Amino acid sequence: MLPANTIILGNGFDLDLGLKTSYRDFLKSNQFRTLLDENCGMDIDMNIFQFIKDQSQLETWGGVEASLLDFVQKFKTCPNQKIKNTIRSSYEKLEKGIADYLADISYEASNESSCAIYLLHRLSNMVNVYSYNYTDVNRIPTINNSSVKHLHGTLKENNIILGVQDANITNGLGFVKKSYHSNYNSMEFVRDMLASECILFFGHSLCMSDKEYFTSLFCASQNNHCKQIDFIIHDENGKDLTLDNIEQLSKLNIAKVRENIRINFHFTKEQYKGETKKAIDDFMDDSDNKYSFCLPDGRYV
């Protein structure tokens, strides 16, 4: 059987659905305020919650993960066991606070005209679908699709993964890395992604906190399959950021990357919805047609 094409969902996909799942939503939530209040007396050097609140790059989930990395890298040497235990406990409370917040959000007001809903209705078993989100799309009233595989766990199974990239953390605080988590398993995802001829990213800008998954994708010497990558993002503002991230991941300039991979951008902003839904149709039709074989009597299967 030919390798399937792959769809990769990021937080922008949830936002297009109309779900209140951004980090900014979480930081304004009762769950985060409770974490701040309950730990206000903690030594400021060990207070993850205050550190995250004070950071300025909290526009995305990757922003908070970057803040976590900054936080643990403040400790130049390995802290004593008591401090390590305090930081681990705070990290686990943050993970649980995020899960509690996301579990409370409403799915009832999902945007039925969104590109995200349109994609969910078009999914078939001829494509791999991986999500970086914790949310369960089957809670949307009009959706009944169990084909989405969750890379960072789910709320339903109570196994979410919050963490940082595989950075060089040598001070005994490596437990904040995603790869240390018992539920971390990237092997199937990376294999499917690298075997795909076409990949569709929806709401994922390839932020550096996920670089361990994507570095090899844009290196021509390691990837002989992928011919086209489509990005669905909100508007033009995210395009330059995504291209910058590709250059960082590949350590190649975009011109060099485009010698091997066609890169297309589509937008979910209202005036572009029609074009983007057409791009989704093209992607799904191409994926389905890979498995169409002509029989001697002219029928296709």
Side-chain angles (χ1 to χ4, degrees):
M1 183 176 284
L2 294 170
N5 290 331
T6 298
I7 295 173
I8 300 166
L9 309 177
N11 185 236
F13 178 81
D14 276 4
L15 298 181
D16 191 52
L17 286 173
L19 303 181
K20 299 290 187 180
T21 60
S22 73
Y23 247 128
R24 282 172 289 182
D25 290 322
F26 171 63
L27 292 178
K28 293 183 286 187
S29 71
N30 291 332
Q31 286 84 355
F32 187 69
R33 282 195 291 270
T34 297
L35 289 171
L36 282 172
D37 293 343
E38 290 179 348
N39 295 276
C40 63
M42 181 185 296
D43 185 327
I44 193 64
D45 289 335
M46 293 183 289
N47 193 324
I48 288 178
F49 315 108
Q50 190 62 48
F51 187 86
I52 288 174
K53 182 177 183 296
D54 292 341
Q55 287 283 287
S56 60
Q57 69 259 41
L58 301 179
E59 294 297 314
T60 64
W61 289 102
V64 167
E65 291 169 347
S67 293
L68 276 175
L69 180 58
D70 291 343
F71 178 81
V72 297
Q73 288 183 332
K74 290 194 311 174
F75 298 87
K76 302 301 183 185
T77 59
C78 183
N80 62 47
Q81 193 61 45
K82 182 178 179 180
I83 293 175
K84 283 174 62 176
N85 290 344
T86 298
I87 295 172
R88 183 189 288 272
S89 176
S90 297
Y91 166 65
E92 291 171 352
K93 288 177 183 177
L94 178 63
E95 197 171 55
K96 183 179 184 303
I98 290 170
D100 289 345
Y101 168 70
L102 293 176
D104 284 346
I105 66 172
S106 172
Y107 288 68
E108 297 299 321
S110 302
N111 182 0
E112 286 296 319
S113 69
S114 67
C115 296
I117 287 282
Y118 189 82
L119 174 65
L120 290 174
H121 284 302
R122 285 283 344 243
L123 290 182
S124 75
N125 59 4
M126 298 303 183
V127 63
N128 300 308
V129 187
Y130 289 94
S131 176
Y132 278 83
N133 305 326
Y134 310 125
T135 45
D136 180 7
V137 294
N138 289 304
R139 287 178 60 188
I140 299 169
T142 60
I143 298 299
N144 182 19
N145 191 306
S146 59
S147 62
V148 178
K149 302 173 187 176
H150 291 266
L151 286 162
H152 289 167
T154 65
L155 304 173
K156 183 178 179 180
E157 297 179 12
N158 194 31
N159 63 350
I160 75 166
I161 299 174
L162 174 73
V164 306
Q165 66 196 46
D166 256 20
N168 186 25
I169 301 173
T170 59
N171 55 9
L173 302 177
F175 54 79
V176 301
K177 292 197 282 189
K178 294 171 189 169
S179 57
Y180 274 41
H181 203 289
S182 59
N183 296 316
Y184 179 87
N185 183 4
S186 63
M187 182 172 64
E188 181 184 9
F189 168 60
V190 173
R191 182 199 66 202
D192 286 344
M193 180 177 64
L194 294 183
S196 300
E197 290 184 6
C198 298
I199 299 171
L200 172 65
F201 286 88
F202 194 135
H204 197 301
S205 60
L206 303 176
C207 59
M208 292 302 104
S209 63
D210 291 320
K211 73 174 186 178
E212 63 267 25
Y213 297 102
F214 300 121
T215 298
S216 58
L217 176 60
F218 298 97
C219 299
S221 60
Q222 299 181 51
N223 174 34
N224 298 315
H225 296 282
C226 186
K227 304 298 185 235
Q228 178 170 316
I229 299 177
D230 289 82
F231 290 91
I232 298 179
I233 55 180
H234 180 60
D235 55 29
E236 287 272 2
N237 293 332
K239 181 177 177 180
D240 290 344
L241 172 63
T242 303
L243 292 172
D244 287 346
N245 287 341
I246 291 173
E247 288 192 326
Q248 290 188 61
L249 288 166
S250 65
K251 295 183 170 54
L252 299 170
N253 60 47
I254 289 297
K256 194 68 178 176
V257 172
R258 280 179 156 159
E259 289 178 6
N260 300 287
I261 303 173
R262 184 183 298 110
I263 300 174
N264 302 315
F265 286 89
H266 316 282
F267 308 109
T268 60
K269 203 169 182 179
E270 190 64 37
Q271 62 263 43
Y272 302 110
K273 277 185 179 181
E275 296 172 14
T276 298
K277 289 177 180 179
K278 174 64 167 58
I280 290 171
D281 286 337
D282 291 343
F283 182 90
M284 296 307 304
D285 291 343
D286 177 71
S287 298
D288 291 344
N289 289 339
K290 288 176 67 180
Y291 294 89
S292 297
F293 299 94
C294 186
L295 297 175
D297 62 1
R299 290 181 295 115
Y300 281 85
V301 296

